[in-house]
Amino acid sequence: MNVAEPLYYEDVAVGTTYVAPNRIIVEEDLQLFTKISGDDHPMHTSENYARSTPFGRRIAHGPFGIALAIGQFGRIPGFRETAIAMTDVRDWRFKAPIFIGDVITTEVIITNKELRRSGVGLIERHFKLLKADGTLAQEGISGMLIACRKKTST
């Protein structure tokens, strides 16, 4: 884990892109997400079944990408100490399948920010999950409450 100075609302600029460390998708990821979600569709659990599909092999669950994106955001230095709560997930698009063995990079672009109340701001994050070859696998928007450096009145 990288150690960095905390990033507060005042430090975050609209248009800034943050990149999380790469993540390799492994067999255990699909197994654990199947267990957590209860989604045991053979597209995710059976290599034999998946070979007969248009993808030709097993794919990660769609919502796994959302969970991965949010989790990887927590690995970006600076936000761990100042993130308060996720507010929503919206406009999520599934563009390409995620396979076991894929190396995924999570890019986060700050698209909006507003002061909500004393000591708390809201940032809007546009997530992009990119494969090693640059293919966009998933993307979507999520809001997050973030601490302000100092108390300000609204």
Side-chain angles (χ1 to χ4, degrees):
M1 173 60 74
N2 291 338
V3 177
E5 290 293 316
L7 289 170
Y8 292 90
Y9 174 80
E10 295 86 349
D11 303 322
V12 178
V14 172
T16 302
T17 299
Y18 298 93
V19 180
N22 289 345
R23 170 76 187 275
I24 300 171
I25 307 308
V26 297
E27 170 73 28
E28 186 179 21
D29 293 326
L30 271 66
Q31 291 173 355
L32 290 172
F33 201 84
T34 295
K35 186 174 184 176
I36 290 168
S37 69
D39 179 357
D40 62 356
H41 190 282
M43 174 60 75
H44 313 299
T45 61
S46 169
E47 197 63 47
N48 286 335
Y49 175 87
R51 271 196 289 273
S52 68
T53 70
F55 300 113
R57 55 186 165 149
R58 292 185 307 152
I59 61 171
H61 305 71
F64 169 79
I66 298 170
L68 176 65
I70 301 304
Q72 288 299 96
F73 179 80
R75 297 177 55 97
I76 297 171
F79 288 104
R80 184 173 293 277
E81 298 84 359
T82 59
I84 296 171
M86 183 172 71
T87 61
D88 65 311
V89 174
R90 63 187 183 280
D91 300 325
W92 206 270
R93 305 282 188 242
F94 305 95
K95 301 288 194 172
I98 296 174
F99 299 110
I100 293 171
D102 278 347
V103 177
I104 301 294
T105 300
T106 302
E107 288 186 2
V108 183
I109 304 158
I110 306 303
T111 57
N112 193 25
K113 64 184 267 188
E114 62 182 72
L115 197 56
R116 296 300 286 233
R117 61 179 187 266
S118 183
V120 178
L122 175 69
I123 59 173
E124 184 174 89
R125 305 166 296 171
H126 180 183
F127 285 90
K128 292 183 178 183
L129 296 180
L130 301 164
K131 296 182 170 209
D133 68 359
T135 300
L136 177 63
Q138 295 185 18
E139 69 177 332
I141 306 295
S142 177
M144 184 185 81
L145 295 177
I146 185 171
C148 292
R149 185 171 298 285
K150 53 188 164 203
K151 300 277 185 192
T152 55
S153 57
T154 57

